[in-house]
Amino acid sequence: MEAASPKEAAANAEQAAAAVNGSKEHDAAAFSLELSEDQREIRDWVHGFAEQVVRPAAAEWDEREETPWPIIQEAAKIGLYGFEALAQFWSDPTGLQLPIANEELFWGDAGIGLSIMGTTLAVAGIYASGTPDQLVEWVPQCYGTPEEPKVAAFCSSEPDAGSDVSAIRTSARYDEASDEWILNGQKAWATNGGIADVHVVIASVDRELGSRGHAAFVVPPGAEGLAQGAKVKKHGMRASHTADVHLDDCRVPGSCLLGGKEKLDERLARAREGKGSRGQAAMRTFEVSRPTVGAQALGIARAAYEYALDYAKQRVQFGRPIIENQAIAFTLADMRMEIDAARMLVWRAAWMGRIGKDFEAAEGSMSKLKAGEVAVWVTERAIQILGGNGYTREYPVERMHRDAKIYTIFEGTSEIQRLVISRAISGARIQ
């Protein structure tokens, strides 16, 4: 596959937006566990890149704790990093292509995988709240060009507002005279924060309304008043840049309000009258992305399982391969079963989301919750199977275990996912 020009990418963005926005008007794609030829080709293409480019570099960039720009550029050159690839994955009417591609990439390495796919969350924020025109304008800028790739950041969490998005304190004030929004606040845990060309920022327009008073803004490249804060030294995902973002009287044009001011004013008016709304900006983004995040966790889990399986076949103790011991064999059987079960939940949620079927039982949260917890459990079992070797950095399962843990924390902790699911199935306002 070859990368498209910025002009072609913008055209692809417009076509993809039209296709997605009109998807509910078309017949739902049949759900099948047998992949199509196109799906298999893209799966194998991404897997080849993960195997030949990502995996050999994984340990180096984990140790360096730096953004692997050369690998991002390689991905851009072959068309894997860019909106044209994302649009192709998303255009699959079954909704499965995006999670399939993510699973394969993160099978190669999660830290590098997130450095490549981290921009997708900002793109999801633009898609979730923006207009088709805004999608066309901003998404190509999120990726840059194959010759000079860029990254984008989605900024929602704050030092005192993680799971509780209603506690967001970053403010947005409209200056009618200049038609500008003025942003002030501090964001935390932002993937690509500060190094991104495009930042998508969730801010409060009316604090009295809580999360219903939030809006999403694009902060364009080079905007004054936005600066990187402290870079986070993380337990895992160390090849992916994470940092605080400071907004100090950061002025952005009125056109950078995703969805436009007219829609915002209408939504705020409904909220002040006590009427329902479509949901606040941060949660709409997470709803779009949760099955994909679950697929990333699956990639880590599968990589650890496959490594442990091969190791168990080769490692000899007491005169025989350790896989011949029932305890090891049964553990590997459970690992495979849990991975396959999690994949079914991820695929179901991706399919439902793509055809516009409501998550009546919080199926999106189910998929992310199950996949994240499976990834942590499987990678821990892989370390146990390798014994002392598994605890050293000479073997990759140690890194996989560190990378997996974040999937029970970011984009909604396991506890928050259970809260979402329990509220959905009970109809009760469980606290």
Side-chain angles (χ1 to χ4, degrees):
M1 296 180 68
E2 297 181 355
S5 68
K7 185 176 180 180
E8 291 170 334
N12 291 339
E14 187 171 18
Q15 293 171 5
V20 170
N21 290 334
S23 62
K24 293 183 181 181
E25 299 175 6
H26 296 94
D27 293 336
F31 184 85
S32 173
L33 296 179
E34 183 176 359
L35 301 183
S36 68
E37 183 177 351
D38 286 344
Q39 289 170 332
R40 291 195 301 270
E41 285 182 357
I42 291 179
R43 178 199 62 190
D44 295 344
W45 172 60
V46 178
H47 183 86
F49 180 80
E51 183 175 40
Q52 297 165 22
V53 179
V54 173
R55 185 165 278 193
E60 174 190 351
W61 290 99
D62 178 72
E63 291 289 345
R64 291 175 63 169
E65 298 191 53
E66 297 174 359
T67 301
W69 287 108
I71 298 178
I72 295 174
Q73 187 164 39
E74 285 298 312
K77 285 180 178 178
I78 68 169
L80 178 57
Y81 181 76
F83 186 70
E84 61 275 10
L86 183 62
Q88 182 178 9
F89 299 156
W90 182 252
S91 66
D92 177 5
T94 70
L96 300 186
Q97 194 67 79
L98 187 57
I100 288 170
N102 272 267
E103 179 179 336
E104 296 305 322
L105 185 59
F106 281 67
W107 171 90
D109 178 66
I112 295 175
L114 190 59
S115 74
I116 293 172
M117 286 295 180
T119 294
T120 306
L121 189 58
V123 172
I126 296 171
Y127 163 68
S129 300
T131 65
D133 286 344
Q134 289 173 324
L135 188 66
V136 171
E137 179 179 5
W138 293 113
V139 171
Q141 294 188 54
C142 290
Y143 292 101
T145 66
E147 295 73 29
E148 191 176 359
K150 306 293 184 182
V151 293
F154 181 74
C155 305
S156 176
S157 294
E158 297 182 4
D160 296 318
S163 297
D164 182 11
V165 293
S166 65
I168 284 176
R169 305 298 293 173
T170 296
S171 64
R173 178 174 60 84
Y174 183 60
D175 184 346
E176 190 170 358
S178 62
D179 185 27
E180 291 178 316
W181 287 92
I182 304 170
L183 307 179
N184 282 284
Q186 178 181 348
K187 292 298 182 180
W189 302 102
T191 298
N192 298 329
I195 67 169
D197 254 38
V198 173
H199 291 75
V200 177
V201 175
I202 305 300
S204 176
V205 179
D206 187 335
R207 287 182 180 172
E208 292 183 0
L209 295 176
S211 62
R212 294 180 299 167
H214 293 173
F217 299 84
V218 169
V219 179
E224 294 185 6
L226 183 146
Q228 179 183 317
K231 180 182 177 182
V232 181
K233 302 282 286 184
K234 304 191 298 296
H235 174 67
M237 294 290 193
R238 301 198 303 192
S240 172
H241 176 93
T242 307
D244 290 352
V245 173
H246 297 284
L247 299 151
D248 184 11
D249 284 340
C250 180
R251 287 178 171 266
V252 300
S255 60
C256 290
L257 167 62
L258 291 175
K261 193 169 186 305
E262 183 178 345
K263 282 191 175 181
L264 173 64
D265 289 342
E266 291 175 357
R267 179 162 60 83
L268 295 177
R270 289 196 302 271
R272 289 168 184 139
E273 294 172 2
K275 298 179 180 178
S277 66
R278 197 166 63 96
Q280 48 85 16
M283 292 310 300
R284 288 201 300 273
T285 301
F286 295 145
E287 287 167 5
V288 170
S289 64
R290 273 175 181 156
T292 301
V293 172
Q296 296 171 1
L298 279 175
I300 303 171
R302 199 182 97 220
Y305 157 75
E306 291 177 0
Y307 195 95
L309 177 62
D310 289 342
Y311 183 91
K313 291 177 180 178
Q314 298 169 14
R315 176 70 167 172
V316 175
Q317 292 285 281
F318 303 105
R320 61 181 181 177
I322 63 173
I323 198 169
E324 294 182 12
N325 296 310
Q326 196 175 85
I328 300 295
F330 281 15
T331 298
L332 286 161
D334 285 342
M335 291 161 72
R336 175 61 183 266
M337 177 179 64
E338 291 295 325
I339 291 168
D340 283 5
R343 186 180 294 110
M344 296 301 99
L345 289 175
V346 166
W347 283 14
R348 179 184 68 170
W351 174 74
M352 291 175 66
R354 182 61 182 87
I355 68 171
K357 187 174 178 61
D358 291 338
F359 290 159
E360 295 181 357
E363 288 86 353
S365 290
M366 283 186 190
S367 70
K368 193 267 183 184
L369 171 63
K370 180 65 174 178
E373 296 201 339
V374 164
V376 172
W377 183 84
V378 166
T379 54
E380 184 177 358
R381 298 280 80 73
I383 289 176
Q384 193 70 22
I385 289 171
L386 269 68
N389 287 335
Y391 198 65
T392 71
R393 292 190 182 181
E394 294 181 19
Y395 291 80
V397 293
E398 176 269 343
R399 183 181 68 252
M400 294 169 186
H401 184 253
R402 287 189 286 107
D403 290 343
K405 181 55 190 171
I406 194 62
Y407 286 88
T408 64
I409 299 172
F410 75 172
E411 290 209 49
T413 63
S414 290
E415 291 77 14
I416 289 296
Q417 306 301 341
R418 287 186 167 89
L419 182 64
V420 172
I421 296 165
S422 63
R423 286 176 175 176
I425 63 176
S426 69
R429 188 64 180 175
I430 298 168
Q431 299 297 321

